């Protein structure tokens, strides 16, 4: 089997924002809208920043992402994340249109990244349904192909609240109105921000982890050719992010993603795929054995 070419190149590497994770819509009521009440207030940015900090500090979270992503088309993703060490996360993705229609999954367990195999890849891997990328972002496959899955690792494990920090940094952030989101009372904030200006503002972020995570997000936007973001954030009564919408336009089309937080603090359990159902790209692909059965005398 020519593992170095087929498994290495065709392994599960979806093209998405981090973060994104992309690093991640049912868009009714999500925009600012014509005639929406707005209030320009210097405190609006501080209120969003406080909600970002509180949401980034949660230990467990679940969220869904819907909307449109360049090259993927319409999407519907769901994720669960344990943010404390060791990080555990699961991201289920669904491409609803375009050439990449279908579903797939990423898991991060005990530092090891796994991706689901689809279509004829399962047959090529001897009936296995999962791929192990190992514990490192950069590695070389058994066949000699160099791979970098740092973007995938960041995407599956991220807390999307970091994207809302870009609204807090926007110069025109404003309070729009009260709104119901998934039954919760929220306050809606909105604004626009240039990606270049957001990158320059990272020097003011004292927390190293938060700074690097936000830089990763901006890297993804720049790869898409997006130079300005339109941002909407809904903050609930506990001062946490309930919903985030990010819009932009780049070289490959429209970016329009809404992240809706489903749970804050609910324990997350993510298990690694079975070892006998997983192909490790770093090792030779061994023939999958089946248990022997003894005939009755």
């Amino acid at each position: 089997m020519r593992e170095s070419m087929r498994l290495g190149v065709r392994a599960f590497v979806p093209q998405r924002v981090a973060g994104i994770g992309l690093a991640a819509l049912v868009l009714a009521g999500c925009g600012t809208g014509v005639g929406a009440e707005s209030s320009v207030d210097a405190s609006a940015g501080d209120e969003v920043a406080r909600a970002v900090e509180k949401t980034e500090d949660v230990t467990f979270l679940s969220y869904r992402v819907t909307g449109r992503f360049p090259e993927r088309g319409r999407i519907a993703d769901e994720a669960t994340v344990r943010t404390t060490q060791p990080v555990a996360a699961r991201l289920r993705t669904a491409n609803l249109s375009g050439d990449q229609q279908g579903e797939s999954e990423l898991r991060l367990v005990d530092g090891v990244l796994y991706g689901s195999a689809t279509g004829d890849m399962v047959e090529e891997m001897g009936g296995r349904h999962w791929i192990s990328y190992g514990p490192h972002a950069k590695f070389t496959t058994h066949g000699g192909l160099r791979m970098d899955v740092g973007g995938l690792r960041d995407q599956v494990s991220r807390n999307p609240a970091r994207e809302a920090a870009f609204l807090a940094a926007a110069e025109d952030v404003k309070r729009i109105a009260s709104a119901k989101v998934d039954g919760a009372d929220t306050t809606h904030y909105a604004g626009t921000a240039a990606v270049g200006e957001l990158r320059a503002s990272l020097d003011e972020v004292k927390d190293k982890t938060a700074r690097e995570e936000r830089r990763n997000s901006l890297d993804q936007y720049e790869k898409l050719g997006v130079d300005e973001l339109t941002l909407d954030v809904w903050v609930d009564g506990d001062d946490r992010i309930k919903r985030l919408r990010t819009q932009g336009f780049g070289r490959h089309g429209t970016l329009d993603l809404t992240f809706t937080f489903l749970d804050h603090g609910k324990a997350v359990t993510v298990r690694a795929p079975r070892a006998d159902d997983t192909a490790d790209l770093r090792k030779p692909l061994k023939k999958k054995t089946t248990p022997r059965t003894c005939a009755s005398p």
Side-chain angles (χ1 to χ4, degrees), residues 166 169 171 192-204 214-215 217-219 221-222 225-229:
F166 298 144
E171 293 184 358
T192 58
V195 171
E197 293 176 358
L198 291 172
R199 185 175 292 280
S201 71
L202 291 179
D203 293 337
E204 301 174 11
R214 294 172 195 178
R215 180 175 286 112
S217 292
L218 294 176
D219 287 345
Y221 291 131
E222 290 186 339
V226 174
D227 56 12
E228 184 177 76
L229 299 173

Side-chain angles (χ1 to χ4, degrees), residues 1-4 7-8 112 114 124-125 128 130-136 139-145 147 275 278-287:
M1 180 174 297
R2 291 173 292 179
E3 178 267 348
S4 63
L7 288 185
V112 178
Y114 301 91
E124 291 180 12
M125 296 189 305
R128 295 171 177 83
W130 290 89
I131 300 166
S132 169
Y133 298 101
H136 304 295
F139 65 95
T140 302
T141 68
H142 172 67
L145 184 68
M147 296 191 69
T278 303
D280 190 330
L281 291 185
R282 302 164 302 159
K283 302 176 181 178
L285 184 62
K286 297 181 180 179
K287 183 177 180 180

Side-chain angles (χ1 to χ4, degrees), residues 71-109:
E71 298 181 346
R72 284 187 64 197
R74 292 188 301 112
I75 69 169
D77 301 348
E78 289 195 5
T80 56
V81 184
R82 183 181 69 210
T83 60
T84 55
Q85 296 295 333
V87 173
R90 176 193 296 114
L91 174 63
R92 293 172 175 164
T93 68
N95 295 340
L96 305 179
S97 63
D99 297 335
Q100 300 182 42
Q101 287 189 50
E103 299 181 359
S104 52
E105 183 174 338
L106 286 171
R107 295 183 190 178
L108 184 63
V109 184

